[in-house]
Amino acid sequence: MDVLIPLLLLVLVGYVVGTWIETQHFKNIRERERRTRNLPALTMKLPLASTQVSDVTLVSGSVVVSVDYFKRFVMSLIQLVGGRISSYETLMDRARREAQLRMKEQAMQWGATSIVNLRMETSTIANQNKKNNLGTVEVLAYGTAIKARSL
Amino acid sequence: MILTNIETIPGKTIVKHYGLVSGNTIRAKHIGRDIMAGFKNIFGGELKGYTELLEESRNEAVSRMVDQAKSVGANAVVNVRFSTSAIAQGAAELYAYGTAVSVE
């Protein structure tokens, strides 16, 4: 019983604070996505043939995010029966969108008109404490920013 | 030094290839950051300390790659790729590689 109480407390704190942080983060992401909407990021290798390119550079954005204690707890329960873990899906969604936004913001500062060959890379970050390994990921988004000559 | 992750540099022509250039760095997190990250693990969200650490390391790997490209006389690196691997507990290797070229 003595072990159970701190665990439940952690789960509860994780749920309340974690959910709040996530809601704030999504709100922030949506707002920044609106602001960067007119900078297209394409996964195509080359810009359109009609584009008059004046300058190119490599841009990247990365973020490390982790899940809260509540989600980790839910995950361990789901793992008993298997199935979809939607709480981790939102984590990855957040990470990818955040990394893309950082890349786009860097490109905008440089004066890019579009980004081509967008690539994403995901890697798990290992903690010294083996138990906490689950749920800390780094997402890196990188691409080639293009500055087009205005016609 | 122009860097791209596509095979060419749009608007320019490649006149010479110099082959592979790469840069790597292995970084360990210091204990303070690890403890802070441990706390943040309860609440979830971004671990700013790690983000900064990885960003710094990646910049270092890129600058080593650029130095290597400069030393062979290239003025651009195309097809840049990144890779991250956790080689030991608490340490990660950041690796950047690409093809050094001369463009006009």
Side-chain angles (χ1 to χ4, degrees), chain B residues 11-90:
Chain B
K12 293 197 164 89
T13 39
I14 293 170
V15 290
K16 199 171 176 195
H17 280 89
Y18 294 97
L20 182 80
V21 285
S22 63
N24 77 337
T25 177
I26 298 174
R27 288 283 179 95
K29 312 173 293 232
H30 70 70
I31 191 91
R33 269 174 169 161
D34 221 28
I35 290 168
M36 277 311 290
F39 280 126
K40 280 236 67 180
N41 258 334
I42 299 167
F43 309 126
E46 188 187 350
L47 308 176
K48 286 223 170 64
Y50 285 0
T51 308
E52 275 162 30
L53 181 74
L54 287 167
E55 198 102 325
E56 276 165 30
S57 318
R58 197 164 284 121
N59 288 342
E60 171 139 12
V62 169
S63 77
R64 282 186 188 171
M65 179 184 73
V66 166
D67 286 346
Q68 202 186 334
K70 273 182 191 150
S71 72
V72 294
N75 65 359
V77 182
V78 295
N79 223 353
V80 175
R81 298 273 181 273
F82 293 108
S83 112
T84 313
S85 45
I87 51 156
Q89 287 221 341

Side-chain angles (χ1 to χ4, degrees), chain A residues 41 95-105 118 120 141:
Chain A
R96 294 233 164 78
R97 282 161 79 177
E98 177 72 36
Q100 264 187 68
L101 279 169
R102 286 184 185 177
M103 179 194 68
K104 279 189 174 184
E105 279 159 3
L118 166 67
M120 302 263 228

